Amino acid sequence: MPRYAFKIEYDGHPFAGWQRQPDQPSVQQTMENALRKLDKSFTTLTAAGRTDAGVHATAQVAHADLERDWDPYRLLQAVNYHLKPNPIAVLACAPVSDDFHARFSATERRYMFRIVNRRAPLTHDRGLAWSVGRVLDLDAMREAAAHLVGHHDFTTFRSTYCQAASPMKTLDELRIDPHDIPYGIEYRFHIRARSFLHNQVRSFVGSLEQVGGGTWMPDDMRKALEARSREACGPVCPPYGLYLDDVTYKDGDPFADWVTQ
């Protein structure tokens, strides 16, 4: 059976997360329903990462084994047709080798979190970013973020429901970029690692907001990390500012030959 990789974007607001769940809408189930309209023998769609309820994606990657050979462009159009009216779109599609695995072949994942820092509430970006009214100190947040980069025990920033075998992870990058917007600033947190613990990114950003707002000092981030205790973590920020932004693979980009038509 030929294997295909899909690059997918979605608005996570209507869904209980990526993973299929009984009696709740999920991105996985919605995608699988669309694929099953094209291939009755199709069973499971496997993703690079399981995003939580309300979390978005601009570049989720998933793979599926289908019964017949498809032209990638026709497959993309057919899947997108059957996804309507759900806020999910397949951006690219490519045939891949049988040993390609959307999750286990990945060497890096990138997330982006959006904070809109202004007094006025959100309108167009409501549900797509975290609205923070108090003024945030960028330099303080950057100083605090530097304590998190590297190989650490991230127990403090790990959900109590996390099923990972170990809290030890290597964080390759945590970059904060400011963007001017009318009457405010949008801060984009770019976080890069091979893999993440459950709620790790949202725990980072929630604690960094405490630093930016002056509730914490930058060195309090180091103390929280070294505490290795969930109780030392700041408030976990809401899911709707978080995006799965990119996935990198050991054998290169499976969509490298994709041409927009």
Side-chain angles (χ1 to χ4, degrees):
M1 300 177 73
R3 178 165 292 186
Y4 294 89
F6 302 90
K7 181 170 284 191
I8 309 160
E9 72 174 15
Y10 50 85
D11 176 350
H13 183 261
F15 302 106
W18 166 269
Q19 190 173 6
R20 188 190 316 110
Q21 299 183 44
D23 303 322
Q24 294 191 71
S26 68
V27 181
Q28 182 184 22
Q29 184 68 67
T30 305
M31 281 285 301
E32 289 178 343
N33 289 345
L35 285 164
R36 208 162 281 121
K37 297 280 183 63
L38 308 174
D39 183 343
K40 292 182 180 179
S41 68
F42 165 74
T43 55
T44 303
L45 184 68
T46 302
R50 298 174 178 177
T51 53
D52 290 337
V55 175
H56 315 295
T58 59
Q60 172 73 279
V61 176
H63 78 260
D65 296 326
L66 302 180
E67 188 173 32
R68 55 169 279 198
D69 289 317
W70 282 84
D71 172 81
Y73 293 98
R74 291 192 63 189
L75 180 56
L76 175 140
Q77 290 178 317
V79 175
N80 282 334
Y81 176 82
H82 289 295
L83 284 170
K84 297 176 182 179
N86 297 287
I88 308 173
V90 177
L91 303 177
C93 168
V96 291
S97 63
D98 290 344
D99 61 356
F100 174 87
H101 194 284
R103 179 183 176 190
F104 297 125
S105 300
T107 58
E108 184 177 84
R109 293 162 178 83
R110 299 186 185 211
Y111 283 88
M112 186 264 289
F113 195 98
R114 300 174 60 204
I115 287 182
V116 173
N117 191 202
R118 70 180 191 188
R119 293 188 181 276
L122 299 182
T123 53
H124 299 297
D125 280 329
R126 186 177 181 181
L128 299 174
W130 182 21
S131 178
V132 174
R134 62 176 175 173
V135 175
L136 298 178
D137 184 331
L138 175 60
D139 290 337
M141 290 192 293
R142 284 174 168 171
E143 182 180 343
H147 293 297
L148 301 173
V149 177
H151 187 68
H152 302 289
D153 181 331
F154 285 110
T155 296
T156 298
F157 304 99
R158 174 190 192 184
S159 166
T160 54
Y161 299 103
C162 182
Q163 297 179 355
S166 169
M168 302 298 298
K169 294 289 180 182
T170 300
L171 186 68
D172 296 313
E173 181 182 34
L174 203 172
R175 188 180 81 251
I176 309 170
D177 293 337
H179 299 267
D180 290 333
I181 59 173
Y183 305 103
I185 301 174
E186 179 177 324
Y187 293 106
R188 294 187 180 181
F189 298 72
H190 300 276
I191 302 108
R192 178 168 57 89
R194 181 182 181 90
S195 61
F196 291 88
L197 300 166
H198 187 205
N199 277 356
Q200 186 176 1
V201 173
R202 290 170 56 200
S203 297
F204 284 165
V205 176
S207 296
L208 288 168
E209 191 274 341
Q210 296 289 289
V211 175
T215 305
W216 285 18
M217 298 300 292
D219 194 54
D220 289 333
M221 187 66 75
R222 177 189 61 80
K223 294 176 182 177
L225 176 67
E226 292 177 353
R228 299 181 180 85
S229 169
R230 187 61 176 168
E231 294 180 356
C233 184
V236 178
C237 66
Y240 42 76
L242 182 59
Y243 297 74
L244 176 56
D245 205 33
D246 195 18
V247 185
T248 302
Y249 289 92
K250 60 184 178 181
D251 294 326
D253 182 4
F255 310 102
D257 295 330
W258 182 264
V259 178
T260 302
Q261 291 186 343

